[in-house]
């Protein structure tokens, strides 16, 4: 059975002290996670060690970085490699968030290199894709996301693709309070899975977790996560509030 994942993306929010308090608050709740369920918390780089220390003894809770660079080491001032992340105990890395694509000009081709760098070290990429509003309004979202998969992931072997977690995040739903309806989410998740099945076969596509992101909240998580092809969420704003994210974790199917 593929994993169901509640992933927090703190983005560039919270001080260290606020982040510690948020993790303490989350850990004060009881979750009774089943073996196929996981919680991932993507924190700013300077908080990774703190978060690893707090979560490393907690079964099925993992710390993620929000980005990485493609090279292992060297003269790349300001960048952070997969090796560096692993040396502080991090094995999950979010890549290709629409904010990085937009503000830092990350292309599908560059993300293909990041995927390779992460998988080469045995870590887990959480690969984000999703269309902007004009593409959705023109009803061209399927072709748009299919191209993102093709250009960043389809060079991978059947074995490697199963180690990737995909997060579909329609840009028009991020931070806007406008969630895709559960039917819209299911429709495009099913499309993504059928694309993966076309390339790798249905059995492999069935193993790949596809998370939904974009204004996931405590009050819509159960409805979204109950869709057959929605395998949890990548959560921004609501992941900064203990009660909200705890409820989202508890909404995992
Ligand atoms: P919001 O949940 O704030 O809409 O953000 C979604 C997101 O971008 C998660 O990566």
């Amino acid at each position: 059975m593929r994993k169901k994942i509640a992933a927090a993306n703190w983005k560039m929010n919270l001080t260290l002290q606020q982040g510690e308090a948020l993790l303490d608050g989350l850990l004060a709740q009881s979750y009774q996670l089943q073996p196929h369920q996981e919680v991932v918390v993507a924190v700013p780089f300077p908080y990774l060690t703190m978060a690893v220390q707090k979560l490393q003894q907690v079964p099925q809770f993992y710390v993620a970085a929000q980005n990485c660079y493609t090279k292992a080491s060297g003269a790349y001032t300001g960048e952070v490699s997969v090796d560096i992340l692993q040396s502080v105990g991090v094995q999950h890395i979010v890549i290709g968030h629409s904010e990085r694509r937009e503000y830092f000009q990350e292309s599908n081709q560059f993300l293909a290199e990041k995927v390779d760098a992460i998988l080469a070290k045995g870590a887990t990429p959480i690969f984000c894709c999703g269309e902007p509003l004009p593409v959705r309004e023109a009803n061209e979202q399927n072709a748009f996301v299919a191209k993102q998969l093709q250009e960043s992931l389809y060079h991978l072997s059947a074995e490697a693709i199963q180690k990737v977690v995909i997060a579909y995040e329609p840009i028009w739903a991020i931070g806007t309070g406008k969630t895709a309806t559960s039917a819209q989410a299911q429709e495009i998740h099913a499309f993504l899975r059928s694309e993966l099945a076309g390339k790798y076969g249905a059995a492999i596509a069935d193993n790949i977790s596809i998370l939904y992101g974009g204004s996931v909240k405590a009050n819509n998580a159960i409805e979204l996560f109950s869709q057959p092809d929605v395998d949890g969420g990548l959560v921004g704003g609501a992941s900064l509030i203990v009660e909200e994210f705890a409820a989202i974790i508890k909404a995992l199917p």
Side-chain angles (χ1 to χ4, degrees):
M1 184 183 197
R2 61 179 175 261
K3 288 190 178 125
K4 306 284 176 174
I5 302 169
N9 178 8
W10 289 3
K11 309 190 180 184
M12 198 177 73
N13 291 299
L14 308 176
T15 61
L16 174 66
Q17 293 73 22
Q18 289 168 331
E20 285 185 292
L22 176 51
L23 290 181
D24 288 341
L26 284 175
L27 293 178
Q29 308 252 344
S30 65
Y31 299 101
Q32 288 155 357
L33 293 177
Q34 295 169 45
H36 67 278
Q37 297 171 331
E38 280 183 10
V39 178
V40 177
V41 186
V43 308
F45 286 133
Y47 312 164
L48 287 169
T49 298
M50 173 281 289
V52 167
Q53 278 166 3
K54 284 197 188 291
L55 300 184
Q56 65 192 349
Q57 305 298 346
V58 185
Q60 293 157 261
F61 275 65
Y62 301 94
V63 177
Q66 297 176 14
N67 185 28
C68 69
Y69 194 47
T70 54
K71 310 286 188 210
S73 65
Y76 303 102
T77 302
E79 292 297 321
V80 174
S81 68
V82 180
D83 295 63
I84 289 173
L85 294 171
Q86 289 184 313
S87 77
V88 298
V90 171
Q91 297 292 352
H92 292 72
I93 307 170
V94 175
I95 54 166
H97 193 282
S98 58
E99 290 147 17
R100 294 213 58 85
R101 292 173 184 265
E102 181 180 352
Y103 305 137
F104 304 98
Q105 286 77 46
E106 295 197 0
S107 66
N108 292 340
Q109 289 72 19
F110 185 46
L111 293 168
E113 288 181 46
K114 290 197 184 191
V115 169
D116 288 344
I118 294 167
L119 291 176
K121 302 291 177 177
T124 301
I126 300 174
F127 173 82
C128 304
C129 60
E131 80 287 352
L133 185 59
V135 170
R136 171 66 64 160
E137 284 173 342
N139 198 28
E140 286 166 359
Q141 63 274 9
N142 286 5
F144 188 92
V145 292
K147 187 163 184 274
Q148 290 180 320
L149 296 193
Q150 277 157 19
E151 294 187 352
S152 297
L153 300 181
Y154 280 9
H155 63 288
L156 296 174
S157 69
E159 195 194 339
I161 189 81
Q162 297 175 78
K163 300 187 172 133
V164 178
V165 173
I166 294 173
Y168 167 71
E169 300 203 303
I171 297 169
W172 46 272
I174 295 177
T176 57
K178 232 192 210 181
T179 322
T181 64
S182 55
Q184 281 174 320
Q186 168 56 24
E187 189 182 5
I188 196 153
H189 281 230
F191 168 75
L192 288 168
R193 202 177 306 287
S194 73
E195 281 289 297
L196 291 163
K199 169 78 179 164
Y200 293 101
I204 284 166
D206 265 354
N207 275 339
I208 299 173
S209 299
I210 308 178
L211 315 185
Y212 169 79
S215 299
V216 176
K217 310 281 178 214
N219 66 12
N220 59 24
I222 291 179
E223 166 76 15
L224 285 163
F225 296 175
S226 66
Q227 302 303 310
D229 288 290
V230 177
D231 303 315
L234 180 57
V235 186
S239 77
L240 303 174
I241 302 162
V242 170
E243 296 71 25
E244 282 281 317
F245 193 58
I248 290 166
I249 295 171
K250 290 173 190 172
L252 281 177

